[in-house]
Amino acid sequence: MKYCINCGEQIADDAEVCTNCGVNQTISLEGSYDERAENEKYCVECGTLIAKQAEICPDCGVRQPSVQGPTDSDKIAAGVLALLLGGLGAHKFYQGNMKLGVLYLCFFWTGIPAVLGLVEGILMLIADDTEYEEKYADGSLLGR
């Protein structure tokens, strides 16, 4: 395993792009990770140091990917889907966990996914934003 030249996340040795921040790993960046200010990021294409809010790199003109965590509306939508359609796995599909979504869908007739969906919906809705992001946003079963 190696680490991203931009965000420092652990990535696969043969990865050309960081799965966390989207930065191309085959380019060299200006300066090092430690020299970057908190409101700066590197361009995913050319490696130029740019403002964190920049949507387009001023040097090469490439649109920058938006790397945002879940919003409050994501948490509420997932929680409501879990409460209302949890037995069918709708909240798992919404959160991007297709495997668990299909598993819930296959066993909806047993009622077990409905109970799990009800519990997960309550847990998601009472969790604060950071707890939701850490435990439930990826669609894992009853959080991590």
PDB file of all heavy atoms in Angstrom, residues 19-39:
ATOM      1  N   THR A  19      -8.701   7.365  -4.523  1.00  0.00           N
ATOM      2  CA  THR A  19     -10.141   7.154  -4.403  1.00  0.00           C
ATOM      3  C   THR A  19     -10.773   8.121  -3.410  1.00  0.00           C
ATOM      4  O   THR A  19     -11.976   8.324  -3.436  1.00  0.00           O
ATOM      5  CB  THR A  19     -10.442   5.717  -3.949  1.00  0.00           C
ATOM      6  OG1 THR A  19      -9.732   5.458  -2.737  1.00  0.00           O
ATOM      7  CG2 THR A  19     -10.014   4.723  -5.001  1.00  0.00           C
ATOM      8  N   ASN A  20      -9.980   8.741  -2.555  1.00  0.00           N
ATOM      9  CA  ASN A  20     -10.509   9.679  -1.565  1.00  0.00           C
ATOM     10  C   ASN A  20     -10.655  11.089  -2.120  1.00  0.00           C
ATOM     11  O   ASN A  20     -11.703  11.706  -1.990  1.00  0.00           O
ATOM     12  CB  ASN A  20      -9.607   9.687  -0.329  1.00  0.00           C
ATOM     13  CG  ASN A  20     -10.152  10.545   0.779  1.00  0.00           C
ATOM     14  OD1 ASN A  20     -11.309  10.438   1.132  1.00  0.00           O
ATOM     15  ND2 ASN A  20      -9.308  11.412   1.317  1.00  0.00           N
ATOM     16  N   CYS A  21      -9.600  11.611  -2.754  1.00  0.00           N
ATOM     17  CA  CYS A  21      -9.633  13.005  -3.207  1.00  0.00           C
ATOM     18  C   CYS A  21      -9.614  13.153  -4.726  1.00  0.00           C
ATOM     19  O   CYS A  21      -9.833  14.245  -5.241  1.00  0.00           O
ATOM     20  CB  CYS A  21      -8.468  13.785  -2.598  1.00  0.00           C
ATOM     21  SG  CYS A  21      -6.847  13.237  -3.156  1.00  0.00           S
ATOM     22  N   GLY A  22      -9.330  12.087  -5.461  1.00  0.00           N
ATOM     23  CA  GLY A  22      -9.371  12.139  -6.914  1.00  0.00           C
ATOM     24  C   GLY A  22      -8.116  12.659  -7.593  1.00  0.00           C
ATOM     25  O   GLY A  22      -8.107  12.884  -8.792  1.00  0.00           O
ATOM     26  N   VAL A  23      -7.031  12.864  -6.849  1.00  0.00           N
ATOM     27  CA  VAL A  23      -5.809  13.419  -7.433  1.00  0.00           C
ATOM     28  C   VAL A  23      -5.024  12.341  -8.177  1.00  0.00           C
ATOM     29  O   VAL A  23      -4.834  11.233  -7.686  1.00  0.00           O
ATOM     30  CB  VAL A  23      -4.932  14.069  -6.340  1.00  0.00           C
ATOM     31  CG1 VAL A  23      -3.557  14.433  -6.875  1.00  0.00           C
ATOM     32  CG2 VAL A  23      -5.608  15.306  -5.799  1.00  0.00           C
ATOM     33  N   ASN A  24      -4.584  12.696  -9.398  1.00  0.00           N
ATOM     34  CA  ASN A  24      -3.765  11.831 -10.226  1.00  0.00           C
ATOM     35  C   ASN A  24      -2.436  11.586  -9.513  1.00  0.00           C
ATOM     36  O   ASN A  24      -1.731  12.526  -9.166  1.00  0.00           O
ATOM     37  CB  ASN A  24      -3.554  12.508 -11.584  1.00  0.00           C
ATOM     38  CG  ASN A  24      -2.835  11.634 -12.560  1.00  0.00           C
ATOM     39  OD1 ASN A  24      -2.224  10.638 -12.219  1.00  0.00           O
ATOM     40  ND2 ASN A  24      -2.909  12.021 -13.823  1.00  0.00           N
ATOM     41  N   GLN A  25      -2.063  10.319  -9.317  1.00  0.00           N
ATOM     42  CA  GLN A  25      -0.859   9.973  -8.568  1.00  0.00           C
ATOM     43  C   GLN A  25       0.392   9.920  -9.434  1.00  0.00           C
ATOM     44  O   GLN A  25       1.491   9.745  -8.913  1.00  0.00           O
ATOM     45  CB  GLN A  25      -1.050   8.613  -7.874  1.00  0.00           C
ATOM     46  CG  GLN A  25      -2.217   8.588  -6.915  1.00  0.00           C
ATOM     47  CD  GLN A  25      -2.060   9.554  -5.762  1.00  0.00           C
ATOM     48  OE1 GLN A  25      -1.089   9.477  -5.013  1.00  0.00           O
ATOM     49  NE2 GLN A  25      -2.987  10.485  -5.630  1.00  0.00           N
ATOM     50  N   THR A  26       0.251  10.097 -10.746  1.00  0.00           N
ATOM     51  CA  THR A  26       1.404  10.022 -11.639  1.00  0.00           C
ATOM     52  C   THR A  26       2.065  11.374 -11.875  1.00  0.00           C
ATOM     53  O   THR A  26       3.065  11.457 -12.567  1.00  0.00           O
ATOM     54  CB  THR A  26       0.991   9.426 -13.001  1.00  0.00           C
ATOM     55  OG1 THR A  26      -0.008  10.268 -13.588  1.00  0.00           O
ATOM     56  CG2 THR A  26       0.451   8.020 -12.832  1.00  0.00           C
ATOM     57  N   ILE A  27       1.509  12.441 -11.302  1.00  0.00           N
ATOM     58  CA  ILE A  27       2.077  13.775 -11.480  1.00  0.00           C
ATOM     59  C   ILE A  27       2.866  14.168 -10.237  1.00  0.00           C
ATOM     60  O   ILE A  27       2.718  13.569  -9.189  1.00  0.00           O
ATOM     61  CB  ILE A  27       0.966  14.821 -11.736  1.00  0.00           C
ATOM     62  CG1 ILE A  27      -0.027  14.821 -10.571  1.00  0.00           C
ATOM     63  CG2 ILE A  27       0.273  14.573 -13.039  1.00  0.00           C
ATOM     64  CD1 ILE A  27      -1.044  15.917 -10.638  1.00  0.00           C
ATOM     65  N   SER A  28       3.711  15.162 -10.378  1.00  0.00           N
ATOM     66  CA  SER A  28       4.402  15.665  -9.190  1.00  0.00           C
ATOM     67  C   SER A  28       3.725  16.971  -8.781  1.00  0.00           C
ATOM     68  O   SER A  28       3.365  17.792  -9.618  1.00  0.00           O
ATOM     69  CB  SER A  28       5.881  15.895  -9.482  1.00  0.00           C
ATOM     70  OG  SER A  28       6.035  16.935 -10.412  1.00  0.00           O
ATOM     71  N   LEU A  29       3.539  17.127  -7.484  1.00  0.00           N
ATOM     72  CA  LEU A  29       2.842  18.289  -6.965  1.00  0.00           C
ATOM     73  C   LEU A  29       3.826  19.365  -6.545  1.00  0.00           C
ATOM     74  O   LEU A  29       4.969  19.075  -6.210  1.00  0.00           O
ATOM     75  CB  LEU A  29       1.980  17.887  -5.770  1.00  0.00           C
ATOM     76  CG  LEU A  29       0.935  16.812  -6.038  1.00  0.00           C
ATOM     77  CD1 LEU A  29       0.219  16.440  -4.758  1.00  0.00           C
ATOM     78  CD2 LEU A  29      -0.070  17.312  -7.049  1.00  0.00           C
ATOM     79  N   GLU A  30       3.363  20.608  -6.566  1.00  0.00           N
ATOM     80  CA  GLU A  30       4.184  21.722  -6.088  1.00  0.00           C
ATOM     81  C   GLU A  30       4.318  21.598  -4.579  1.00  0.00           C
ATOM     82  O   GLU A  30       3.323  21.588  -3.881  1.00  0.00           O
ATOM     83  CB  GLU A  30       3.515  23.061  -6.382  1.00  0.00           C
ATOM     84  CG  GLU A  30       3.268  23.360  -7.810  1.00  0.00           C
ATOM     85  CD  GLU A  30       2.487  24.653  -7.972  1.00  0.00           C
ATOM     86  OE1 GLU A  30       1.974  25.186  -6.978  1.00  0.00           O
ATOM     87  OE2 GLU A  30       2.397  25.120  -9.098  1.00  0.00           O
ATOM     88  N   GLY A  31       5.528  21.519  -4.075  1.00  0.00           N
ATOM     89  CA  GLY A  31       5.719  21.444  -2.628  1.00  0.00           C
ATOM     90  C   GLY A  31       5.287  20.100  -2.096  1.00  0.00           C
ATOM     91  O   GLY A  31       5.124  19.130  -2.812  1.00  0.00           O
ATOM     92  N   SER A  32       5.085  20.041  -0.769  1.00  0.00           N
ATOM     93  CA  SER A  32       4.668  18.788  -0.155  1.00  0.00           C
ATOM     94  C   SER A  32       3.347  18.985   0.560  1.00  0.00           C
ATOM     95  O   SER A  32       2.855  20.093   0.706  1.00  0.00           O
ATOM     96  CB  SER A  32       5.737  18.313   0.838  1.00  0.00           C
ATOM     97  OG  SER A  32       5.791  19.191   1.942  1.00  0.00           O
ATOM     98  N   TYR A  33       2.790  17.895   1.042  1.00  0.00           N
ATOM     99  CA  TYR A  33       1.503  17.917   1.727  1.00  0.00           C
ATOM    100  C   TYR A  33       1.527  18.869   2.917  1.00  0.00           C
ATOM    101  O   TYR A  33       0.567  19.577   3.169  1.00  0.00           O
ATOM    102  CB  TYR A  33       1.157  16.492   2.175  1.00  0.00           C
ATOM    103  CG  TYR A  33      -0.100  16.397   2.978  1.00  0.00           C
ATOM    104  CD1 TYR A  33      -1.344  16.533   2.382  1.00  0.00           C
ATOM    105  CD2 TYR A  33      -0.055  16.167   4.349  1.00  0.00           C
ATOM    106  CE1 TYR A  33      -2.505  16.448   3.114  1.00  0.00           C
ATOM    107  CE2 TYR A  33      -1.211  16.080   5.087  1.00  0.00           C
ATOM    108  CZ  TYR A  33      -2.433  16.221   4.458  1.00  0.00           C
ATOM    109  OH  TYR A  33      -3.576  16.132   5.198  1.00  0.00           O
ATOM    110  N   ASP A  34       2.634  18.900   3.639  1.00  0.00           N
ATOM    111  CA  ASP A  34       2.747  19.746   4.834  1.00  0.00           C
ATOM    112  C   ASP A  34       2.773  21.236   4.500  1.00  0.00           C
ATOM    113  O   ASP A  34       2.428  22.056   5.329  1.00  0.00           O
ATOM    114  CB  ASP A  34       4.008  19.385   5.622  1.00  0.00           C
ATOM    115  CG  ASP A  34       3.946  17.965   6.144  1.00  0.00           C
ATOM    116  OD1 ASP A  34       2.822  17.455   6.354  1.00  0.00           O
ATOM    117  OD2 ASP A  34       5.008  17.350   6.339  1.00  0.00           O
ATOM    118  N   GLU A  35       3.206  21.611   3.288  1.00  0.00           N
ATOM    119  CA  GLU A  35       3.323  23.015   2.905  1.00  0.00           C
ATOM    120  C   GLU A  35       1.983  23.616   2.458  1.00  0.00           C
ATOM    121  O   GLU A  35       1.871  24.811   2.299  1.00  0.00           O
ATOM    122  CB  GLU A  35       4.339  23.162   1.775  1.00  0.00           C
ATOM    123  CG  GLU A  35       5.752  22.800   2.197  1.00  0.00           C
ATOM    124  CD  GLU A  35       6.703  22.795   1.023  1.00  0.00           C
ATOM    125  OE1 GLU A  35       6.304  23.142  -0.101  1.00  0.00           O
ATOM    126  OE2 GLU A  35       7.864  22.421   1.232  1.00  0.00           O
ATOM    127  N   ARG A  36       0.981  22.782   2.280  1.00  0.00           N
ATOM    128  CA  ARG A  36      -0.320  23.234   1.801  1.00  0.00           C
ATOM    129  C   ARG A  36      -1.112  23.849   2.949  1.00  0.00           C
ATOM    130  O   ARG A  36      -1.198  23.298   4.037  1.00  0.00           O
ATOM    131  CB  ARG A  36      -1.072  22.043   1.226  1.00  0.00           C
ATOM    132  CG  ARG A  36      -2.370  22.405   0.584  1.00  0.00           C
ATOM    133  CD  ARG A  36      -3.063  21.194   0.043  1.00  0.00           C
ATOM    134  NE  ARG A  36      -3.533  20.414   1.188  1.00  0.00           N
ATOM    135  CZ  ARG A  36      -4.046  19.216   1.116  1.00  0.00           C
ATOM    136  NH1 ARG A  36      -4.119  18.611  -0.037  1.00  0.00           N
ATOM    137  NH2 ARG A  36      -4.459  18.582   2.178  1.00  0.00           N
ATOM    138  N   ALA A  37      -1.720  25.007   2.686  1.00  0.00           N
ATOM    139  CA  ALA A  37      -2.572  25.655   3.691  1.00  0.00           C
ATOM    140  C   ALA A  37      -3.908  24.915   3.763  1.00  0.00           C
ATOM    141  O   ALA A  37      -4.261  24.154   2.869  1.00  0.00           O
ATOM    142  CB  ALA A  37      -2.802  27.121   3.321  1.00  0.00           C
ATOM    143  N   GLU A  38      -4.662  25.155   4.819  1.00  0.00           N
ATOM    144  CA  GLU A  38      -5.925  24.447   5.021  1.00  0.00           C
ATOM    145  C   GLU A  38      -6.960  24.781   3.950  1.00  0.00           C
ATOM    146  O   GLU A  38      -7.810  23.966   3.623  1.00  0.00           O
ATOM    147  CB  GLU A  38      -6.489  24.771   6.403  1.00  0.00           C
ATOM    148  CG  GLU A  38      -7.635  23.882   6.796  1.00  0.00           C
ATOM    149  CD  GLU A  38      -8.024  24.041   8.244  1.00  0.00           C
ATOM    150  OE1 GLU A  38      -7.142  24.158   9.092  1.00  0.00           O
ATOM    151  OE2 GLU A  38      -9.240  24.054   8.501  1.00  0.00           O
ATOM    152  N   ASN A  39      -6.887  25.980   3.380  1.00  0.00           N
ATOM    153  CA  ASN A  39      -7.863  26.379   2.357  1.00  0.00           C
ATOM    154  C   ASN A  39      -7.319  26.169   0.947  1.00  0.00           C
ATOM    155  O   ASN A  39      -7.783  26.789   0.003  1.00  0.00           O
ATOM    156  CB  ASN A  39      -8.274  27.841   2.562  1.00  0.00           C
ATOM    157  CG  ASN A  39      -7.105  28.791   2.420  1.00  0.00           C
ATOM    158  OD1 ASN A  39      -5.954  28.370   2.460  1.00  0.00           O
ATOM    159  ND2 ASN A  39      -7.395  30.064   2.262  1.00  0.00           N
TER     160      ASN A  39
END
